[in-house]
Amino acid sequence: MERLDKILAKSGYGTRKEVKQLIRAGRVELAGQVVTDPGLKISAPDVDNILLDGLKPQIHSSLIFMLNKPGGFITALSDARHDTIAEFIPPQWQNKGLVPVGRLDKDTEGLLLLTNDGQLSHRICSPKWEIEKEYHLIVQGRPFDQQDVEKFANGFKTRDGTEFRPSKLELIDGFEAYLTVFEGQYHQVKRMAKSTGREIKYLRRIRIADLELDPDLSLGELRMLTDEERENLYSACDLKDK
Ligand code: URA
């Protein structure tokens, strides 16, 4: 049994105070009856019968969002010198313990997950779980060719001794490609490109596991994952949705 206001606040429908207000305002129903007591204790099966403004809220004990990160912002929640992705988190989602899952460089765009589930975040980033991350990239320098596709597919070691595991390079043309990696080393894509004699001109992450960047999200926009997206992500990480 858990308090109604706590259940809704934890799922991101406002601060405890805001949630209390919306319950008192009669916006919440339980099994067809308006509930105005924020402290009402709800049993686990009854959680499915909650309606907020006539709609079924997404009740989970973890929060997961996808952000379409624009360039020019660092992947951090505060920084004295740089703009951070914190400014894309609307007020009602702040102070919910959301942290970015791994890092995209300042100039990299695209899919960045934010969650308050540390175990999920760890598994997405850990090479042990081999979670796919797919990037769209444009290089300058020498064009890519079939030899590069094979080199990436076999994995390779750089002169400084760094080892990159096998990855999948799909050429769009010589300068533009999709690259899927199964680990998340620091500046990985840029270093992979550099060690084969190219500079990355543009980099955007477009997928993590089965989760694709929503094409309807413009740069700087964020949305909660759907129930189906959550389930797929948890199952890719061999975890149960919470
Ligand atoms: N690899 C990079 O080099 N940079 C990123 O931002 C992500 C992957």
Side-chain angles (χ1 to χ4, degrees):
M1 301 281 263
E2 199 168 14
R3 285 176 61 108
L4 179 58
D5 55 357
K6 193 164 173 207
I7 293 173
L8 288 172
K10 215 168 55 179
S11 301
Y13 290 94
T15 59
R16 250 336 233 286
K17 192 169 156 205
E18 286 163 349
V19 167
K20 280 189 174 126
Q21 281 164 353
L22 67 86
I23 296 169
R24 291 201 180 106
R27 290 169 55 190
V28 176
E29 287 170 52
L30 182 68
Q33 299 284 318
V34 172
V35 182
T36 53
D37 173 10
L40 185 73
K41 291 268 174 55
I42 311 283
S43 66
D46 256 352
V47 169
D48 273 349
N49 299 321
I50 298 174
L51 291 185
L52 171 61
D53 295 330
L55 300 171
K56 225 169 155 221
Q58 269 193 24
I59 304 289
H60 297 288
S61 57
S62 67
L63 293 171
I64 319 173
F65 289 85
M66 68 160 84
L67 167 70
N68 186 2
K69 179 192 170 298
F73 295 82
I74 63 164
T75 307
L77 296 177
S78 73
D79 190 89
R81 287 184 302 128
H82 301 278
D83 291 327
T84 73
I85 55 112
E87 67 184 75
F88 303 113
I89 306 176
Q92 73 267 32
W93 306 114
Q94 288 167 12
N95 307 315
K96 301 281 183 209
L98 290 174
V99 287
V101 177
R103 246 170 55 172
L104 289 180
D105 294 337
K106 187 172 180 187
D107 56 352
T108 303
E109 295 182 353
L111 178 58
L112 181 67
L113 293 174
L114 295 154
T115 184
N116 56 4
D117 183 341
Q119 192 182 27
L120 178 71
S121 178
H122 174 77
R123 291 206 182 179
I124 291 171
C125 298
S126 160
K128 183 173 155 210
W129 294 93
E130 299 192 341
I131 301 297
E132 296 187 7
K133 285 123 198 152
E134 184 174 356
Y135 296 87
H136 173 207
L137 56 90
I138 300 176
V139 290
Q140 55 194 13
R142 259 179 334 113
F144 281 124
D145 58 28
Q146 209 47 41
Q147 271 188 343
D148 297 300
V149 173
E150 279 159 34
K151 178 171 180 162
F152 279 52
N154 292 326
F156 60 96
K157 211 169 173 173
T158 63
R159 279 200 206 124
D160 68 8
T162 311
E163 257 184 71
F164 293 112
R165 293 186 183 182
S167 57
K168 194 165 122 203
L169 182 67
E170 293 165 273
L171 304 184
I172 300 170
D173 61 35
F175 296 100
E176 194 171 356
Y178 296 112
L179 175 65
T180 303
V181 299
F182 302 84
E183 52 186 339
Q185 299 192 45
Y186 183 61
H187 292 327
Q188 176 156 0
V189 177
K190 288 179 186 164
R191 285 162 61 218
M192 288 174 88
K194 190 148 194 136
S195 72
T196 64
R198 288 135 186 137
E199 273 314 312
I200 293 280
K201 216 163 71 172
Y202 174 77
L203 186 59
R204 182 166 70 115
R205 184 156 61 196
I206 55 173
R207 183 171 62 83
I208 295 175
D210 287 337
L211 180 67
E212 292 185 6
L213 176 64
D214 184 337
D216 290 335
L217 277 187
S218 32
L219 285 167
E221 261 187 345
L222 147 156
R223 73 154 170 81
M224 219 186 240
L225 297 201
T226 64
D227 284 353
E228 193 183 345
E229 288 169 337
R230 291 175 60 99
E231 260 166 48
N232 289 339
L233 190 61
Y234 272 107
S235 112
C237 296
D238 213 6
L239 290 169
K240 278 215 156 22
D241 196 354
K242 298 172 183 162

